């Protein structure tokens, strides 16, 4: 299969994803999900694991491992005090989701993330493969993508240190 065929297939999958999207019902998650950055990271690490587990169960070829380390960034809370936003380790697989299965993978990702309080599905431009993101009320967001490999990343919103 040529690179052009793969790109056309991914673009078609993105179009299907954006035109045939269903609205996920999300569960209310209190804002914030924790009192501190440490506790919020613990909560969101479990959410990230849940997403990877669901995808790996459905697609046994997706074995996720850490590809990029965690990073922290300073931020300012609404009351003007300093906090921390944490970019959890990005996990990737050695292979992508097959193009024909991207819609099913996107639906699984959306349902699992919505169950943890994420909403607002946003499909990112297909120039670098398939990628979608969902958002939580506390400013956190989770991303699922697939092109050369499948990836799951999560950024925790601004919390007290």
């Amino acid at each position: 299969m040529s690179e052009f065929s793969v790109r056309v297939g991914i673009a078609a999958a993105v179009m299907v994803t954006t035109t045939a999207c269903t609205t996920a019902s999300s569960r209310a998650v209190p804002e914030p999900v924790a009192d501190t950055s440490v506790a919020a990271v613990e909560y969101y690490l479990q959410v990230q694991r849940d997403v990877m587990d669901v995808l790996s169960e459905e697609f046994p070829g997706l074995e996720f491992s850490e590809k990029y380390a965690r990073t922290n960034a300073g931020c300012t809370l609404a009351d003007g005090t300093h906090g921390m936003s944490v970019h959890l380790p990005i996990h990737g697989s050695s292979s992508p989701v097959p193009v024909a299965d991207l819609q099913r993978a996107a639906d699984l990702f959306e349902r699992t993330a919505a169950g943890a309080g994420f909403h607002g599905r946003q499909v990112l431009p297909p120039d670098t493969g398939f990628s979608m993101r969902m958002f939580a009320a506390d400013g956190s967001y989770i991303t699922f993508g697939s092109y050369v490999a499948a990836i799951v990343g999560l950024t925790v919103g601004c919390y007290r240190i």
Side-chain angles (χ1 to χ4, degrees):
M1 182 180 288
S2 73
E3 183 179 333
F4 176 76
S5 297
V6 171
R7 288 183 184 262
V8 169
I10 290 170
V14 170
M15 284 179 38
V16 167
T17 301
T18 57
T19 58
C21 86
T22 57
T23 304
S25 59
S26 59
R27 162 176 71 81
V29 173
E31 185 184 345
V33 299
D35 292 330
T36 65
S37 178
V38 171
V41 164
E42 184 177 315
Y43 173 82
Y44 283 118
L45 277 170
Q46 184 59 52
V47 171
Q48 187 179 34
R49 278 191 294 272
D50 291 346
V51 167
M52 290 184 294
D53 288 348
V54 165
L55 290 169
S56 292
E57 282 178 29
E58 187 69 23
F59 304 99
L62 297 183
E63 295 179 21
F64 290 95
S65 61
E66 186 176 318
K67 300 296 181 187
Y68 297 97
R70 167 186 161 158
T71 59
N72 302 328
C75 57
T76 304
L77 295 157
D79 65 4
T81 60
H82 295 288
M84 183 177 303
S85 179
V86 177
H87 305 281
L88 298 181
I90 296 173
H91 289 78
S93 65
S94 60
S95 61
V97 173
V99 172
D101 294 326
L102 280 173
Q103 181 63 53
R104 189 163 44 106
D107 291 344
L108 284 169
F109 167 77
E110 184 174 14
R111 276 194 303 274
T112 306
F118 287 89
H119 61 279
R121 173 183 180 159
Q122 175 186 26
V123 177
L124 304 174
D127 59 337
T128 57
F130 174 79
S131 186
M132 66 184 287
R133 183 171 286 161
M134 294 179 70
F135 305 88
D138 65 0
S140 299
Y141 57 90
I142 187 167
T143 305
F144 164 66
S146 185
Y147 185 53
V148 176
I151 61 101
V152 175
L154 199 154
T155 296
V156 178
C158 190
Y159 278 85
R160 294 191 193 295
I161 300 172

